[in-house]
Amino acid sequence: MHGQPPAEFIEQVRDIPIYRESVAAGSFPVLEKPEIARGFPDNWMTPRLATALAEGEAECVLSTGTNHARMQIIRPPYFLLHSYYQLWSEHPDIAFSWEQGCERVSLTTVLATEHVARTNARKRGATPEAVPSLRDRRLDDRTVYLNLRLDPAQWERSDVERMVAEIHEARRAHPRGWYHLDCSGYHLAHLVLKARRWGLWEDLPRPASIVHAYEYTPTNVRRFLARHFACPVVDLFGSTELGYLYYSDRHGRYHPHLDRMSVELLPVTPGSDIYSLIVSSVRNPYMPLIRYRSGDCVRTLDGTPDPDRIERFCGREKELLPAGALRTGRRGPIAQGDLDDCVAGISPAVFVHRLRIDGDREACLSYTTFDGAPLAPPVAGELAEAVGALVGRRCALEHRNHVPIGRSGKYAWLDTGR
């Protein structure tokens, strides 16, 4: 039946309270995040889950969140990590670095670092240190976290020197000096820029493979990383509650990794060629999600709702610029990826950018560049005109030395003043 989960999935959720009415009716509506939270955890509780929680085989955690509220979920310990390791070990371009036993050095949000440090301190019955030691930033025998600041743009020379030294320590564990770099694309780009500025670039060990995940990585950032690193640079797409669903190859093409999952695409608005990702997954045995709206948006190669033809992940549904805010007759809303395409198509020099919507007629694109210099006037004029045409209002450009990161340690692409 179109839009409904496979029969074997239904059998696995039959006894879970949140699904009982759907099982009885033979039809599952789209599962929204507020519904997951309503009555939590009783709406998920079964004798099997109660036993797993009591024995430590399942745990309650919060989703990582970006610029929105986090939600409680139940999962096996290290669920997302195991999903990452599985994909790393099977990926056609980077499996070699897994097989070689490379350490994974993670350069991402400070919130991720702090979570690892809290977990390790709790295991020792201690209070987390204000500045976590390298020991407390080790997730397991294979992964260590580097970042200790919220905003990578504000890393100082001492931060970069410390991180370079810690990378050297990680690579010493491998006979050939190899390591695997896991990162937010923005964070790695900041590290490259600062290492070059302070004469530390030559001392920064080159990784054997790179994965960028955690948040949307703009086209210009991907280009920048590809220019500076000769190894495979791939993207993983997933979430705390689902694990990883898709991966890119070294050429940027996406491939499914739908172990115990199925995916369907629904237009975000009638007639739109941007689709919401709807996922049915029994990969997590303690909180299987059936027809779950992940909140992510995608585009396909041919504009059809075929999950096998996903071309790109273009942002979050809650961060769409509604069609009602536009005056262009555009078919459906604008996603982060649409603005990214517009910017990257005109200037590869733009690094971080954020669009501010002022009232009904004005917009302003704040931006930084990789070299710190403002765009030349002809290019700036072309970009302002193109962004204005995209969003259907007059657009100004504002060059900045710094566009601040959000409290989550991730960048917001859109500011509507709400």
Side-chain angles (χ1 to χ4, degrees):
M1 193 187 312
H2 177 70
Q4 298 305 307
E8 61 268 27
F9 286 15
I10 296 175
E11 284 304 311
Q12 294 184 56
V13 305
R14 184 174 298 279
D15 297 327
I16 300 176
I18 196 171
Y19 295 123
R20 283 175 184 159
E21 290 185 9
S22 297
V23 171
S27 177
F28 287 74
V30 171
L31 180 63
E32 309 285 356
K33 292 180 191 290
E35 190 63 26
I36 289 174
R38 191 173 295 118
F40 185 92
D42 292 343
N43 55 347
W44 296 93
M45 196 60 62
T46 63
R48 180 192 183 199
L49 175 55
T51 299
L53 288 167
E55 295 179 353
E57 295 177 3
E59 60 182 1
C60 291
V61 299
L62 290 173
S63 63
T64 52
T66 51
N67 305 297
H68 309 296
R70 302 164 80 188
M71 70 175 184
Q72 283 187 296
I73 59 176
I74 305 166
R75 66 179 190 182
Y78 301 111
F79 172 73
L80 187 59
L81 180 69
H82 292 158
S83 176
Y84 184 107
Y85 283 173
Q86 180 186 356
L87 215 164
W88 178 13
S89 69
E90 297 174 0
H91 192 288
D93 293 317
I94 63 173
F96 73 94
S97 61
W98 168 269
E99 294 162 357
Q100 285 284 325
C102 291
E103 280 215 17
R104 173 181 174 235
V105 175
S106 191
L107 180 67
T108 180
T109 68
V110 73
L111 276 69
T113 304
E114 290 170 349
H115 172 73
V116 172
R118 282 195 305 270
T119 300
N120 286 330
R122 189 165 59 244
K123 288 177 182 176
R124 301 195 318 271
T127 301
E129 299 172 358
V131 180
S133 65
L134 186 61
R135 178 191 65 176
D136 273 359
R137 287 183 273 124
R138 180 162 287 283
L139 180 62
D140 60 9
D141 60 357
R142 193 128 189 194
T143 294
V144 66
Y145 285 74
L146 298 184
N147 184 27
L148 294 175
R149 283 185 184 264
L150 176 65
D151 192 338
Q154 296 179 336
W155 283 334
E156 298 176 353
R157 183 183 180 112
S158 59
D159 295 305
V160 176
E161 288 175 337
R162 173 189 56 78
M163 289 188 283
V164 169
E166 290 172 354
I167 292 172
H168 275 288
E169 183 170 337
R171 70 191 290 266
R172 277 196 290 270
H174 192 274
R176 300 176 66 177
W178 289 3
Y179 74 100
H180 170 70
L181 183 58
D182 166 72
C183 67
S184 156
Y186 284 113
H187 284 68
L188 181 54
H190 278 296
L191 181 64
V192 171
L193 290 171
K194 290 179 178 291
R196 292 177 61 185
R197 181 186 309 165
W198 292 320
L200 301 169
W201 174 240
E202 296 304 321
D203 194 39
L204 178 65
R206 303 303 189 261
S209 54
I210 296 174
V211 159
H212 59 75
Y214 301 98
E215 62 182 315
Y216 181 93
T217 301
T219 300
N220 281 348
V221 174
R222 293 200 304 272
R223 289 171 177 167
F224 179 83
L225 298 181
R227 285 200 307 271
H228 285 84
F229 296 98
C231 68
V233 181
V234 304
D235 181 32
L236 302 187
F237 172 79
S239 66
T240 309
E241 62 272 23
L242 291 167
Y244 291 97
L245 290 76
Y246 287 82
Y247 64 87
S248 75
D249 58 31
R250 63 194 307 163
H251 305 293
R253 295 182 294 260
Y254 281 95
H255 306 270
H257 180 74
L258 300 176
D259 175 37
R260 289 162 288 167
M261 290 182 168
S262 65
V263 168
E264 60 184 292
L265 304 181
L266 299 179
V268 294
T269 58
S272 174
D273 55 2
I274 301 176
Y275 294 97
S276 293
L277 195 67
I278 309 297
V279 183
S280 291
S281 172
V282 295
R283 187 185 291 176
N284 174 355
Y286 304 119
M287 192 173 175
L289 296 169
I290 303 299
R291 300 201 72 214
Y292 166 64
R293 188 188 303 273
S294 74
D296 300 289
C297 299
V298 305
R299 288 190 182 277
T300 59
L301 287 165
D302 56 3
T304 65
D306 183 349
D308 291 330
R309 299 185 65 78
I310 289 176
E311 179 182 29
R312 68 185 307 191
F313 297 87
C314 55
R316 300 285 295 171
E317 192 167 348
K318 285 190 175 181
E319 296 171 0
L320 292 173
L321 184 59
L326 311 179
R327 295 179 296 137
T328 59
R330 186 181 168 85
R331 191 160 65 99
I334 290 174
Q336 181 177 5
D338 299 324
L339 179 64
D340 180 32
D341 287 344
C342 181
V343 171
I346 291 172
S347 175
V350 174
F351 180 16
V352 180
H353 59 267
R354 184 174 64 202
L355 180 68
R356 186 176 72 247
I357 300 297
D358 296 323
D360 295 329
R361 298 184 178 181
E362 305 289 336
C364 179
L365 185 74
S366 301
Y367 73 96
T368 69
T369 55
F370 291 105
D371 64 5
L375 298 176
V379 178
E382 183 183 359
L383 181 56
E385 184 176 348
V387 174
L390 177 69
V391 301
R393 56 189 72 208
R394 196 162 47 246
C395 182
L397 244 59
E398 178 185 46
H399 174 256
R400 292 188 182 184
N401 294 321
H402 178 222
V403 172
I405 207 162
R407 289 179 297 175
S408 65
K410 301 180 182 181
Y411 284 102
W413 76 279
L414 180 65
D415 176 9
T416 59
R418 290 182 296 189

